[in-house]
Amino acid sequence: MPFPAVAHAIRRRLRAPGTAERGQVRWTASPLAVDAITALSCFSLMVLDVPGLAEAENSLTGLTATLVLAAGAATLVARRHLPWMPYLVALLFLGWLHELTLIQFALYSLGRFRGRWAGVLATLGYLAVAYALFNLPGWPDHHSGSLSVFLGLVVPIGVLASGVGIAAYRQDLVRELELRRAETAALQAVQDERTSVARDVHDLVGRELTVLAVRAEVLAVRARGTAHHQDFAELADTARRAHHMLNDTIVHRADERTATPGLEGLPALAAESERMGSPVTLEIAAAARGVSPLRQTAVYRVVQECLTNAAKHAPGERITVTIGLDGARLRVSARNRLPSSAPSTAPVSSGTGTFSMRERVRSMGGTLTAGAADCVYEVVATLPAGRRPPRR
């Protein structure tokens, strides 16, 4: 296997996500450092040919041959921005010094940083030059093999080197595309959650503003003819304008909006989960039922996502959901044992549920943690309990 292929395999291994997860060091070298190491590696391989070059009839001594090879290998430092430069130098070395090491690195670099068509074109050019050189009288003087033997050497070198480079180029494109898709999905999940929170705010705060406006109008009617009539009228007008501003700020989607349940909707979620095969133990402290409706909708969404994830990744395991007050904080906990073996089929998941939960809780000044310990997976969300609405 040509050295560029070995180097590419090593870089893939060092970049593997699992390497970092096992506590080992990830590949974090800068591109310039990688190119310098590549040039040094190429030069180390070419140095092995110095004794033969010094003995050949090319007007080079051991020292000058070393310097020439070092200068050629140094062009690989610019392979990202000027990949054709080491390629042209490699063709010069091929005709002058009969050196095949640099051309491998050059073809790999062209495929790696310029893609398929550049790699194919460079490989065809290399094969054409090699064929032309083979047919030159006296090149090289010591070659005695047939054309098929000669091409059997140069063709695999060129095709394999550029092929590995093109594969690496395509892999980088796929990796970048997957990364962008994951980022887009995460941003979309956050945006959807913000929209959901905005709709809940619209429903809950808009209702209170409507009640305020109606009561102010009633008081204005009752205070007609008194000194406070104008004050109540202005209060009603302010409440109406605030409601209109709320409608203008939050997207109007009345036909798509559905009211998010509060804590009263959790028993139905638990029953649905049990129908899916995952029993639920639901523990709700009485004091928690007094928190604001907006916080209750946040709790509902968090529990809903936890039950969904548990059904996907730990089917059949009991889920314990605990909701209570810890001082001035509202605490939500969802725990389930991890299955002894992985599900027979991979769960269908977009991978954005945790983003949505965390964004929902964070938007209210809270925090969310999720992780496994002692064969138990637990999600804990804490957020300010807030002031409880007065009873009417």
Side-chain angles (χ1 to χ4, degrees), residues 239-361:
R240 284 192 297 270
R241 283 190 286 108
H243 199 182
H244 288 313
M245 291 173 62
L246 184 65
N247 288 337
D248 291 338
T249 303
I250 299 177
V251 181
H252 293 277
R253 294 183 179 178
D255 56 333
E256 299 177 8
R257 186 173 64 245
T258 57
T260 303
L263 298 185
E264 74 281 357
L266 295 181
L269 276 182
E272 181 181 1
S273 179
E274 292 184 0
R275 288 193 297 270
M276 295 168 61
S278 298
V280 178
T281 299
L282 190 60
E283 301 175 1
I284 305 176
R289 298 183 182 276
V291 299
S292 67
L294 190 58
R295 284 170 174 78
Q296 290 194 31
T297 61
V299 172
Y300 179 91
R301 291 301 189 192
V302 169
V303 173
Q304 183 183 45
E305 187 61 35
C306 289
L307 297 184
T308 301
N309 287 342
K312 290 178 181 178
H313 301 285
E317 298 292 339
R318 177 168 290 276
I319 311 162
T320 301
V321 178
T322 304
I323 303 170
L325 291 180
D326 185 7
R329 309 286 291 182
L330 176 63
R331 187 177 189 274
V332 183
S333 171
R335 296 164 51 91
N336 62 270
R337 291 190 60 82
L338 295 175
S340 56
S341 60
S344 57
T345 58
V348 179
S349 176
S350 63
T352 59
T354 303
F355 284 102
S356 298
M357 287 194 297
R358 184 171 286 111
E359 178 64 20
R360 166 76 69 157
V361 174

Side-chain angles (χ1 to χ4, degrees), residues 75-344:
T75 60
L76 291 171
V77 177
R79 64 189 187 131
R80 296 175 189 268
H81 306 291
L82 300 171
W84 291 100
M85 182 170 65
Y87 173 75
L88 295 176
V89 173
L91 293 181
L92 175 64
F93 278 16
L94 179 64
W96 177 28
L97 305 176
H98 315 150
E99 173 60 54
L100 291 173
T101 302
L102 182 58
I103 192 64
Q104 299 177 62
F105 285 81
L107 288 174
Y108 169 81
S109 300
L110 273 167
R112 176 71 172 77
F113 301 111
R114 288 297 181 268
R116 179 177 61 184
W117 293 113
V120 171
L121 180 62
T123 302
L124 293 177
Y126 155 70
L127 296 178
V129 170
Y131 177 75
L133 292 173
F134 180 84
N135 288 286
L136 287 178
W139 186 93
D141 293 335
H142 57 273
H143 94 73
S144 59
S146 64
L147 177 61
S148 61
V149 174
F150 177 72
L151 294 180
L153 173 65
V154 299
V155 171
I157 287 177
V159 172
L160 186 57
S162 62
V164 172
I166 294 171
Y169 177 82
R170 292 175 63 87
Q171 185 184 46
D172 282 351
L173 292 180
V174 171
R175 186 184 299 113
E176 183 177 357
L177 180 60
E178 291 176 349
L179 180 61
R180 290 183 180 275
R181 284 178 176 174
E183 292 176 350
T184 301
L187 291 175
Q188 185 60 44
V190 171
Q191 185 60 38
D192 290 344
E193 192 60 29
R194 288 177 177 175
T195 302
S196 179
V197 172
R199 292 172 184 171
D200 293 337
V201 170
H202 176 276
D203 290 340
L204 300 171
V205 178
R207 175 181 175 276
E208 298 299 325
L209 288 175
T210 300
V211 171
L212 176 61
V214 171
R215 296 186 66 179
E217 289 174 353
V218 171
L219 292 174
V221 172
R222 292 179 179 177
R224 185 172 298 166
T226 67
H228 298 292
H229 170 74
Q230 186 62 29
D231 295 333
F232 287 127
E234 291 179 358
L235 179 61
D237 183 64
T238 301
R240 284 192 297 270
R241 283 190 286 108
H243 199 182
H244 288 313
M245 291 173 62
L246 184 65
N247 288 337
D248 291 338
T249 303
I250 299 177
V251 181
H252 293 277
R253 294 183 179 178
D255 56 333
E256 299 177 8
R257 186 173 64 245
T258 57
T260 303
L263 298 185
E264 74 281 357
L266 295 181
L269 276 182
E272 181 181 1
S273 179
E274 292 184 0
R275 288 193 297 270
M276 295 168 61
S278 298
V280 178
T281 299
L282 190 60
E283 301 175 1
I284 305 176
R289 298 183 182 276
V291 299
S292 67
L294 190 58
R295 284 170 174 78
Q296 290 194 31
T297 61
V299 172
Y300 179 91
R301 291 301 189 192
V302 169
V303 173
Q304 183 183 45
E305 187 61 35
C306 289
L307 297 184
T308 301
N309 287 342
K312 290 178 181 178
H313 301 285
E317 298 292 339
R318 177 168 290 276
I319 311 162
T320 301
V321 178
T322 304
I323 303 170
L325 291 180
D326 185 7
R329 309 286 291 182
L330 176 63
R331 187 177 189 274
V332 183
S333 171
R335 296 164 51 91
N336 62 270
R337 291 190 60 82
L338 295 175
S340 56
S341 60
S344 57

